[in-house]
Structure formats: structure tokens, C-alpha cells
Amino acid sequence: MTGLSAPLDFLSATQRERLLAAGLDVTFPAGTRLFDEGGKADRFWLLRGGRVDLDVHVPGRHPAPVVETLGPGQLLGWSWISPPYRWHLGARATSAVEATEFPAGPVLDLCAADPALGYALMRRFTEVVAERLQATRIRLLDLYAPHGSRPA
């Protein structure tokens, strides 16, 4: 798990080391469905290579509209951090993906043992939630708003 310090610079060196010790290097071939909206959210990933599309289920629309594309250095999955622990979006690898996968249980145990680590993760994942919410809002407005009514 080398080369991951920059995306985790919001953590101290000791916190980063503890978090990375809980991670597992994984790969996904292009086309792999990582999770579906509404499924059990019990992990998150730090992307090291490849691309992942986030999509949202819209009744009557298939395939689900892509709301954001993530790449190296970005965090994937925030739904693990608070109840009801269900994915709010779906995710599919659009190219071969290399990532570090973090299981929620051990990470939450780390947070309980080190409240400063827990606060830092909560703060960063709150930023991720805000970014994804804004990206989803803009994409859905692009798809469904009357022409010319996009927000400034």
C-alpha cells in the first residue's frame, strides 16, 4: 500500500499508518459492479488507479444515469459511516481499478479507539458527501431540467 499518503494527508502519520494497516489491496476488472444503490454498505475504497462511475437509480431509466466519475486519489463509498449503512448511489468500474479496500468494522473500531482519527475521517467523509450531493444535483438538473434552466 505505497503511494497513498497524499489522499490521506488529512490524517497524522500515525493515524494514516493505522488506517492503512486495516486496508487490503484489491483490483476490479472493467465492467465490475462494485455496489448497487440500497445494498449493504460495509466498506470503502481509496482508488489508486482506474475509473469508477457513480450512478443513481431513476425509475423508468435504464441504464442508471452516471452522476460522477472517480479516479486515482479519490475516496469511493461514504455510506458505511452512518446508519442505515446502505449505499446511496451505485458504482461500476469503467476501466481496470486498483484500490485499497477498507472494511467498515475495523475502521469504526479504530475510530472508537482514537477519537481524533474518527473526527478526521468523519470530517473528510462529510466533504465527500457534499461533493457527491452537488455532483448528483448538477447531473440530474442537466438530465431533467427544462433547457436553459441550469443554475448559475
Side-chain angles (χ1 to χ4, degrees), residues 145-151:
H147 182 69
S149 65
R150 188 165 186 240

Side-chain angles (χ1 to χ4, degrees), residues 73-89:
Q74 290 187 285
L75 292 166
L76 169 63
W78 53 266
S79 302
W80 66 275
I81 207 161
S82 63
Y85 308 109
R86 298 284 174 200
W87 297 116
H88 290 83
L89 299 169

Side-chain angles (χ1 to χ4, degrees), residues 1 23-34 43-52 76 92-102:
M1 285 178 268
L24 173 68
D25 290 340
V26 295
T27 59
F28 301 102
T32 301
R33 190 85 182 151
L34 280 77
R43 64 197 68 232
F44 69 96
W45 297 265
L46 176 56
L47 301 178
R48 295 190 324 264
R51 298 268 179 230
V52 174
L76 169 63
R92 178 182 308 279
T94 56
S95 66
V97 170
E98 296 177 2
T100 302
E101 181 176 281
F102 297 93

